[in-house]
Amino acid sequence: MAEFTKETLEHLKRLARIDCSLEEEQEVLSSLQKVLSYMEQLASFAEPAAKDVLPESGVRLRPDCIEASFSRDAFLANAPDHVGGMVRIPPVLKEL
Amino acid sequence: MTKKALHLLSASDLSALFSQGDVSAREIASHFLERIRSLDASLGTFLSVLEPRALKKAEELDKKRKEGKPLGKLAAVPIAIKDNMHIEGELTTCASRFLTNYRAPFSATAVRLLEEADALLIGKTNLDEFAMGSSNESSAFFPVRNPWDLSKVPGGSSGGSAAAVSARLSLLATGSDTGGSIRQPAGLTGIVGFKPSYGRVSRYGLVAFGSSLDQIGPFATCVKDAALAMEVLGAPCEKDATSLPLPKEPYPLSPSLEPMTIGVPYDFLKNLNPAVRENFDAAIDAFRELGASIVEVDLDVLRYSIATYYILATAEASTNLARFDGIRFGVRAKEAKTLEEIYSLSRGQGFGKEVKKRILLGTYVLSAGYKDAYYKKAQEVRSAIQGAFDASFKTCDALLMPVAPSGAFAHSSIHDPVEMYLQDIFTIPANLAGLPAISVPSGFDAEGLPLGIQILGPRFHDVRVMQAAYAYEQKTQHAKAPPFAQGEKSP
């Protein structure tokens, strides 16, 4: 299995949208190298491939209809920033 | 019954006293709130204490009883809620800086059921951040200490709930168990912890970690109370698509064991440490004396459990925790100037190291080029594990294993991530297969720290597991409160 490098970590940080301090990066790098090395034992699992499974969940789908949800005020009460009844974020469209 | 000893009763006995009018709900609530005030500073089990809520409910219950109205199954029983489950109007922090200001707009189904059963919700308990950990040292706020020895961990991730019940600051608590987070801390703190079958208890209102693994279950000081809690919690729920459409079931208990064959995976357990081995062998003997037949089962494939689990659980966590983006709720990084910065800085500042590690690991095992080698392979092994359990249950009615590889370990003593993950070696298999499993006190190690054994049953045979645990508990009588909870010494 693949080597886990600083470049791999940078790639994962971008994919997962997570910033890490330099100190954290050192620890994450060292930890994940150890964990992935431990996981290599799965390569020795040699039973014939079975179908992917999850515990049988008996998942039932709800009827596709509109139901009452939270009020706007209840939702916005937890929003970090809002204005005029809407969540506020920085501009995502740049001026031409 | 003196007020001083209320915390040494079982939940069912305390509720009976209340129902008979021997003690008021107000006295019960005040007694446990006072215990939390005087003892919890040294334990760190609660992140918030719901004093006004508990006292208001107690007042309602006293009125209800005086008026002769019917009382719920858990009338006036104090219960602590792990702080990754929502109680409407209260904070849900998941022991994370990311959610320090999050106030739940609705209650989890499990919480609603407990309230309808007239339990007193007394507080929200500490945990490893987002339920990721086996020692309760990764809470963003403060660690939890083991009531049996404050220098030791209580286990995790539901360490706050376990330690609160062990210290008799509450008589019941909820936990969530993704890889052993109820059973392992129950074992390390000398109480009972039950992980129901996957789908038996609704997870609606539980902050998701690994959705194919997560289950809510109870902590209690004895099996009878855990069964009582399950009679309330084990109900179908339309708001959780994985909740099974099965009616609530009663948990009739008897001190004698129904004729039963118990399987032991001796090969998988060949490297137990001597103290755990001796304790486990004594548990096997106790079941023999109860009339059970003991047979060996082949579960060698369980040696792959940890690797399998940490691939699947982190993969699921990396997607579940994508919702914590600093946009709709939680803490937003003040210095973020762009949308991308809101995501990465808010998550960078809000999540602790263990959570970051697991999200990054989950992202890795799902990323292009590695998915087949890790995620797909792990699903195959999970299938084999499930198949091995199915085969075992053709020759036995239940399985017996230790709960953890050792008793409680010292704070800050495990730094290697794999060594920490291996604390869950005996509990993770039940999650991978969706099985019911219970942790029951089985005695003490040479340091006087509690040990536990684990009984696992086929999926949906939750009652059988509880019945076997009850017979074992009644025969062996290992469960007891730690010395300071009995007033023998202060922590």
Side-chain angles (χ1 to χ4, degrees):
Chain A
M1 292 188 187
E3 195 184 350
F4 193 85
T5 63
K6 177 90 169 60
E7 287 68 38
T8 317
L9 181 58
E10 287 301 322
H11 178 56
L12 293 177
K13 279 167 53 189
R14 279 194 299 279
L15 285 176
R17 307 290 197 276
I18 287 187
D19 186 51
C20 293
S21 67
L22 282 175
E23 182 205 342
E24 282 176 333
E25 281 188 13
Q26 286 303 317
E27 189 177 328
V28 168
L29 197 58
S30 155
S31 282
L32 294 194
Q33 282 166 341
K34 282 180 190 162
V35 172
L36 286 165
S37 168
Y38 178 81
M39 286 171 175
E40 282 180 18
Q41 65 175 270
L42 285 191
S44 70
F45 175 79
E47 284 187 26
K51 64 181 189 338
D52 290 356
V53 293
L54 296 176
E56 196 179 316
S57 62
V59 168
R60 295 157 295 119
L61 299 178
R62 285 195 295 262
D64 184 15
C65 56
I66 297 168
E67 290 178 14
S69 186
F70 303 129
S71 68
R72 177 181 291 196
D73 287 346
F75 174 80
L76 290 174
N78 276 307
D81 194 6
H82 57 92
V83 61
M86 291 176 279
V87 171
R88 178 156 61 187
I89 58 167
V92 291
L93 297 175
K94 289 177 186 162
E95 286 181 28
L96 294 173
Chain B
M1 176 55 56
T2 65
K3 192 179 159 194
K4 194 176 172 187
L6 290 177
H7 57 278
L8 296 177
L9 295 172
S10 68
S12 40
D13 286 350
L14 181 65
S15 192
L17 278 187
F18 164 69
S19 302
Q20 293 156 16
D22 293 334
V23 62
S24 71
R26 170 85 193 194
E27 285 174 307
I28 293 171
S30 300
H31 178 74
F32 283 90
L33 289 167
E34 177 53 33
R35 281 184 65 74
I36 294 169
R37 265 193 297 273
S38 62
L39 295 172
D40 199 41
S42 55
L43 292 170
T45 62
F46 283 92
L47 291 178
S48 54
V49 180
L50 308 178
E51 181 161 350
R53 191 180 196 102
L55 291 174
K56 181 167 176 281
K57 177 77 177 182
E59 200 176 303
E60 287 168 13
L61 283 174
D62 285 333
K63 187 163 176 275
K64 202 169 166 182
R65 193 188 58 75
K66 271 188 196 148
E67 291 171 353
K69 291 183 178 165
L71 297 166
K73 270 179 187 286
L74 295 172
V77 173
I79 183 161
I81 305 296
K82 186 176 181 180
D83 201 20
N84 61 352
M85 296 170 204
H86 297 320
I87 302 176
E88 186 176 349
E90 307 291 350
L91 292 174
T92 302
T93 69
C94 293
S96 177
R97 297 200 187 287
F98 203 102
L99 291 176
T100 44
N101 60 0
Y102 182 79
R103 206 164 277 281
F106 67 100
S107 284
T109 297
V111 166
R112 178 178 59 75
L113 291 168
L114 292 167
E115 284 193 306
E116 287 172 3
D118 286 335
L120 295 172
L121 305 191
I122 202 154
K124 301 204 74 184
T125 53
N126 206 348
L127 62 151
D128 282 302
E129 185 178 0
F130 283 105
M132 296 180 188
S134 308
S135 66
N136 224 128
E137 294 170 296
S138 77
S139 164
F141 306 125
F142 41 84
V144 178
R145 300 190 176 275
N146 192 317
W148 286 88
D149 179 343
L150 298 183
S151 71
K152 302 289 196 295
V153 303
S157 67
S158 315
S161 286
V165 172
S166 175
R168 275 51 173 183
L169 305 185
S170 180
L171 293 186
L172 288 175
T174 61
S176 59
D177 191 315
T178 306
S181 288
I182 292 175
R183 289 158 290 151
Q184 185 251 17
L188 269 49
T189 57
I191 59 171
V192 174
F194 182 64
K195 184 202 95 68
S197 292
Y198 184 81
R200 183 73 253 189
V201 175
S202 167
R203 293 100 48 89
Y204 178 69
L206 166 72
V207 177
F209 164 13
S211 300
S212 77
L213 303 153
D214 297 336
Q215 264 301 282
I216 289 175
F219 287 98
T221 62
C222 60
V223 176
K224 190 177 170 192
D225 287 354
L228 185 65
M230 277 307 299
E231 288 182 342
V232 171
L233 291 170
C237 171
E238 288 187 354
K239 290 178 174 168
D240 175 355
T242 63
S243 165
L244 298 164
L246 300 170
K248 285 186 172 185
E249 47 185 2
Y251 283 72
L253 302 176
S254 161
S256 57
L257 192 68
E258 291 289 313
M260 175 179 272
T261 301
I262 291 182
V264 179
Y266 285 105
D267 200 39
F268 175 58
L269 302 175
K270 63 189 170 201
N271 295 322
L272 291 182
N273 89 28
V276 173
R277 163 66 63 197
E278 188 183 332
N279 182 271
F280 182 65
D281 287 346
I284 294 173
D285 289 343
F287 273 105
R288 273 203 191 95
E289 288 164 21
L290 281 164
S293 303
I294 306 294
V295 297
E296 179 166 6
V297 291
D298 176 13
L299 285 169
D300 185 47
V301 69
L302 298 189
R303 67 194 163 95
Y304 294 111
S305 298
I306 296 283
T308 302
Y309 172 84
Y310 277 95
I311 290 169
L312 300 179
T314 58
E316 293 182 21
S318 73
T319 51
N320 271 327
L321 270 65
R323 75 193 63 180
F324 299 103
D325 54 11
I327 302 292
R328 294 155 298 162
F329 45 74
V331 172
R332 182 182 291 184
K334 287 191 171 55
E335 64 272 43
K337 298 280 193 298
T338 66
L339 194 61
E340 283 290 320
E341 283 181 0
I342 288 181
Y343 298 149
S344 61
L345 294 179
S346 300
R347 287 160 69 78
Q349 292 167 14
F351 292 144
K353 273 188 279 194
E354 185 60 32
V355 174
K356 286 183 186 180
K357 268 192 267 183
R358 296 198 193 197
I359 290 174
L360 291 166
L361 179 58
T363 306
Y364 181 75
V365 300
L366 288 174
S367 63
Y370 301 108
K371 193 175 170 189
D372 282 1
Y374 291 102
Y375 186 76
K376 189 161 176 281
K377 186 80 177 179
Q379 289 287 30
E380 287 171 12
V381 182
R382 183 179 193 174
S383 175
I385 288 171
Q386 204 170 29
F389 273 122
D390 287 346
S392 292
F393 287 126
K394 285 181 181 149
T395 60
C396 67
D397 303 302
L399 293 163
L400 196 60
M401 289 206 274
V403 173
S406 69
F409 49 93
H411 277 272
S412 305
S413 63
I414 297 183
H415 302 287
D416 183 283
V418 174
E419 190 184 347
M420 185 64 90
Y421 294 170
L422 284 167
Q423 296 304 312
D424 298 329
I425 180 77
F426 302 129
T427 48
I428 275 173
N431 299 83
L432 290 172
L435 308 178
I438 193 165
S439 172
V440 197
S442 59
F444 298 86
D445 66 12
E447 288 185 72
L449 295 169
L451 296 172
I453 54 136
Q454 189 186 187
I455 303 161
L456 301 85
R459 193 155 176 233
F460 312 137
H461 289 271
D462 301 46
V463 174
R464 181 193 296 172
V465 168
M466 198 75 81
Q467 287 172 334
Y470 184 71
Y472 171 80
E473 176 198 60
Q474 293 303 300
K475 176 175 174 51
T476 57
Q477 301 286 335
H478 288 304
K480 64 174 185 175
F484 88 81
Q486 302 178 54
E488 290 173 20
K489 66 174 183 185
S490 64

